[in-house]
Amino acid sequence: MNSKAQLTITHLTKKFEANSVNEKTALLDFNLEVQKGDFITILGSNGAGKSTLFNAILGKFLPDKGSILLDGEDITYEKDYKRALNIGCLYQNPMRGTAPNMTIEENLALAYTRKSTHRFFAVNKKDSAYFRELLASLDLGLEDRMKTKMGLLSGGQRQAAALLMATIAKPKLLLLDEHTAALDPATAEKVLRITRSIISERGLTALMITHNMEQALAFGNRTIMMDSGRLVLDVRDEERAAMTPQKLVELFSRSARQALSDRTQLSVS
Amino acid sequence: MEIVNLILSALSQGMLYAPMAMGVFIAFKILNTPDLTIDGSLVFGMTVCAVVTIAGHPVLALVAGTAAGAVAGLITGLQQTKLQINAILAGILTMTGLYTVNYMVLGGQANLYLQHAELNESGSEVFVSSNTIYKMFASLFPSWDNTVAVLVLTALLVAAVAALLCVFFKTRPGMAIRATGDNEEMVRSSSINADMSRVLGIMIANALVALSGSLLCQQQRYADLNSGSGMLVVGLASVIIGQVLFGKRSVTLGVISAVAGSTVYRLILQFAYKINMPSYAVKLLSACIVALALSLPLLRRKWSLHKARTAARKEGSV
């Protein structure tokens, strides 16, 4: 195994409602090795297992088989909140990452103090100065609204704040689950720009789920595609540079067709 | 003069029940969890305090009573988190079980007076009332009226507890409890054990409720098994009244408004008694206050909707 691997997933398998008529294979012998500093975009149709993969990494459930190594450490059976020390996550819904009735400052303080040495008061001058600096870098004017309750912000502002919270403690891994899908196009672009700059400035290792083929190629250094819980495409370097959205769509629909015919065959036999 | 006495009495009652209101505030408003343990933990604080007071340790009795409430909260909290029992049911289970426990603490009787047997000079056994913090305080200021002494001492204690709470909710564990009631997922994502925050919050809430029970016990000089019923509604009424008066901007303000709400609630009761409301009507009155206050926002919205609709209709017919 490569010593530089930041995330190593081997033989990960998860079936929901196993041994019942509703059995659904969400992940099937899924393998992935992510290098330190990789920024991987993940494609796949609905139900391909992308979000399930994230939830497995986050520890929302335990897999049936396989293992997950983060920076060489086996986290397969670690509790979700313990993994969160080193994994940041952002969902499609901006509400999920922030506490609406607490101020921006308090939200950031809670996210920040997971690693920094605790002071007596969670919100204090020294940390606040740092938060103000971070918020100013978003260029959304939030640095002047640190005492504003999170619930009063717009979806885009909240998502940008949630992005800061997910990355403030220098995570070993950042997971982005269609985190701009619920935003209007202009806001989505702004949040994406912020995402890109935070990832590159801090040299974060990141996985990003998207449904946008252009985005999948424009961001990061590697693109993978999932289908029926399996890895069906993995492009990087020259191969990726030569890839166009059209080709991706073609590959995408081919794999989807393949899956469809697999299913038809199954039902016939 | 009568009105002064009335107000003084309401103030001291309000202060005695203020820790309970703060506890209800923490459970219902901060943790966003309906905790029905409260009726039981108030009596638990009372009974434990009574027993320790009679044993001759009035200050320790308050600590023990408060700790008893924390234990009750721990049991409810563990049911909610580790056993995944519905929050309302978990509270009811603890409250129901506590009835038996309280009965046992009182030595198998429904009430207990704070008195113990002593030998007098002639060698015969007499009952003397046990020492309480209120007795100790009154002996320091012999010229003070008893109601005033009770009010001053309780108010000092409440102020200290409230200050401590306000500071606590600004520390990381305190802020984690607030966030747990607001968005538990965000708490987990921040690498905080949300279950532990929840349990800690419920323990603090019930400890405060039991502190009220302990103070009441020493002030009224007896513990009564049935004094807990309906206390949750009383606490909720206090919190809601406080919120109407002060709004709900911050936690510090919330703690203060719970104390103020408790006092205003007692003032309302005193004046209701004054106009000859029978004492058994208290619970119905409290229930109505809470129901009305909880439905007020909805009623207001419906009213404005109704007005808009009739206005639109009128315009259409012209």
Side-chain angles (χ1 to χ4, degrees):
Chain A
M1 221 163 276
N2 196 319
S3 62
K4 269 171 69 192
Q6 186 80 334
L7 177 72
T8 312
I9 298 172
T10 37
H11 306 304
L12 200 65
T13 300
K14 178 69 186 178
K15 282 180 185 158
F16 288 110
E17 304 195 45
N19 305 322
S20 80
V21 268
N22 294 323
E23 179 173 300
K24 185 179 181 321
T25 306
L27 291 169
L28 188 62
D29 196 29
F30 185 89
N31 296 288
L32 182 71
E33 192 169 275
V34 181
Q35 305 303 315
K36 204 164 269 182
D38 264 356
F39 180 3
I40 302 177
T41 53
I42 304 177
L43 288 165
S45 53
N46 293 325
K50 308 179 299 291
S51 294
T52 311
L53 171 67
F54 275 18
N55 285 334
I57 297 173
L58 287 166
K60 303 276 179 196
F61 56 78
L62 295 181
D64 302 333
K65 248 192 293 186
S67 67
I68 305 168
L69 265 68
L70 182 69
D71 199 16
E73 193 189 337
D74 191 344
I75 59 162
T76 318
Y77 299 104
E78 202 167 45
K79 287 211 172 86
D80 60 347
Y81 70 88
K82 286 193 175 155
R83 300 182 197 206
L85 191 64
N86 287 311
I87 304 177
C89 184
L90 215 53
Y91 303 95
Q92 184 176 338
N93 183 351
M95 310 296 161
R96 284 178 73 176
T98 49
N101 290 311
M102 296 173 74
T103 65
I104 299 179
E105 194 175 36
E106 288 170 336
N107 269 278
L108 285 170
L110 262 190
Y112 182 57
T113 45
R114 79 182 91 177
K115 269 188 186 164
S116 75
T117 42
H118 302 176
R119 283 150 193 283
F120 185 73
F121 288 111
V123 170
N124 54 67
K125 267 189 188 153
K126 189 166 173 260
D127 290 349
S128 287
Y130 176 55
F131 299 157
R132 172 177 285 273
E133 213 173 281
L134 285 176
L135 287 165
S137 74
L138 295 179
D139 202 19
L140 294 170
L142 293 182
E143 64 274 18
D144 299 321
R145 298 176 66 189
M146 294 200 356
K147 305 271 183 220
T148 304
K149 283 192 176 163
M150 202 54 114
L152 296 174
L153 302 188
S154 71
Q157 289 170 330
R158 254 179 108 163
Q159 196 67 316
L163 179 63
L164 276 191
M165 288 169 65
T167 53
I168 200 167
K170 302 189 172 56
K172 290 180 177 172
L173 183 67
L174 175 64
L175 303 178
L176 305 164
D177 191 350
E178 287 190 67
H179 69 299
T180 59
L183 309 176
D184 68 72
T187 313
E189 203 185 299
K190 192 156 195 180
V191 171
L192 271 175
R193 209 167 54 229
I194 296 166
T195 309
R196 196 203 294 251
S197 73
I198 285 180
I199 289 174
S200 70
E201 269 166 34
R202 302 179 176 215
L204 294 176
T205 309
L207 304 182
M208 179 169 91
I209 295 175
T210 175
H211 279 304
N212 184 326
M213 306 284 167
E214 276 167 47
Q215 222 175 66
L217 291 175
F219 283 80
N221 62 336
R222 185 175 163 195
T223 298
I224 64 173
M225 192 184 286
M226 287 181 72
D227 187 63
S228 307
R230 275 172 296 198
L231 190 73
V232 290
L233 181 80
D234 185 352
V235 290
R236 56 186 122 182
D237 306 331
E238 295 85 30
E239 195 188 353
R240 187 171 187 263
M243 191 64 80
T244 61
Q246 285 74 20
K247 266 197 217 164
L248 259 187
V249 172
E250 212 171 282
L251 284 166
F252 189 81
S253 46
R254 194 185 302 161
S255 83
R257 252 201 318 277
Q258 183 66 35
L260 204 62
S261 68
D262 278 356
R263 251 170 256 155
T264 332
Q265 268 174 6
L266 262 170
S267 62
V268 168
S269 65
Chain B
M1 203 55 217
E2 199 198 8
I3 191 95
V4 176
N5 281 335
L6 199 100
I7 291 172
L8 276 180
S9 154
L11 286 178
S12 78
Q13 285 286 309
M15 283 299 151
L16 286 166
Y17 283 101
M20 181 182 80
M22 290 191 265
V24 171
F25 172 73
I26 292 173
F28 279 73
K29 294 291 166 180
I30 293 187
L31 270 178
N32 216 350
T33 305
D35 183 13
L36 302 195
T37 319
I38 283 154
D39 283 11
S41 51
L42 184 104
V43 185
F44 198 22
M46 205 177 243
T47 57
V48 169
C49 177
V51 172
V52 181
T53 306
I54 291 169
H57 308 287
V59 178
L60 184 68
L62 290 183
V63 178
T66 308
V71 171
L74 175 68
I75 291 165
T76 301
L78 289 178
Q79 288 181 70
Q80 282 182 20
T81 53
K82 297 295 161 202
L83 304 181
Q84 297 277 309
I85 294 176
N86 171 292
I88 292 181
L89 190 57
I92 292 177
L93 290 176
T94 312
M95 178 187 77
T96 307
L98 273 179
Y99 192 86
T100 308
V101 175
N102 287 326
Y103 192 74
M104 280 157 54
V105 173
L106 290 190
Q109 52 197 33
N111 48 47
L112 185 64
Y113 285 85
L114 299 191
Q115 58 186 17
H116 57 275
E118 253 175 34
L119 294 177
N120 65 3
E121 298 99 48
S122 56
S124 54
E125 206 170 65
V126 288
F127 280 105
V128 291
S129 70
S130 309
N131 201 12
T132 67
I133 57 161
Y134 292 111
K135 226 174 169 181
M136 289 155 67
F137 190 71
S139 69
L140 290 178
F141 305 96
S143 61
W144 286 14
D145 179 73
N146 187 46
T147 320
V148 175
V150 168
L151 173 60
V152 170
L153 179 57
T154 317
L156 285 174
L157 281 171
V158 167
V161 170
L164 215 63
L165 268 185
C166 291
V167 169
F168 172 72
F169 280 116
K170 290 189 189 309
T171 64
R172 180 171 156 90
M175 214 144 84
I177 291 175
R178 290 171 52 203
T180 302
D182 206 13
N183 181 355
E184 196 168 321
E185 185 167 24
M186 171 266 189
V187 174
R188 292 178 174 280
S189 303
S190 296
S191 200
I192 296 165
N193 187 344
D195 284 355
M196 204 153 90
S197 290
R198 182 170 291 281
V199 173
L200 186 62
I202 294 173
M203 282 176 73
I204 294 172
N206 282 287
L208 287 167
V209 174
L211 174 60
S212 262
S214 305
L215 291 172
L216 278 167
C217 164
Q218 293 207 354
Q219 187 263 332
Q220 67 194 18
R221 319 194 51 75
Y222 68 89
D224 175 25
L225 215 50
N226 296 312
S227 49
S229 77
M231 278 306 151
L232 173 61
V233 177
V234 172
L236 266 181
S238 308
V239 169
I240 291 171
I241 291 171
Q243 224 167 50
V244 170
L245 294 176
F246 287 88
K248 38 182 173 182
R249 273 163 294 172
S250 71
V251 175
T252 306
L253 211 59
V255 170
I256 294 168
S257 67
V259 175
S262 172
T263 312
V264 173
Y265 174 81
R266 293 292 155 184
L267 274 172
I268 295 172
L269 282 196
Q270 287 292 340
F271 280 103
Y273 288 140
K274 187 83 184 60
I275 55 169
N276 293 328
M277 182 189 78
S279 61
Y280 59 77
V282 171
K283 284 184 182 165
L284 182 60
L285 179 72
S286 314
C288 288
I289 290 178
V290 172
L292 187 72
L294 289 181
S295 55
L296 212 56
L298 180 76
L299 292 178
R300 216 179 271 157
R301 225 170 25 244
K302 281 201 166 159
W303 174 239
S304 62
L305 207 67
H306 172 77
K307 271 202 305 201
R309 202 178 287 142
T310 36
R313 240 178 238 150
K314 248 185 211 161
E315 220 159 86
S317 64
V318 168

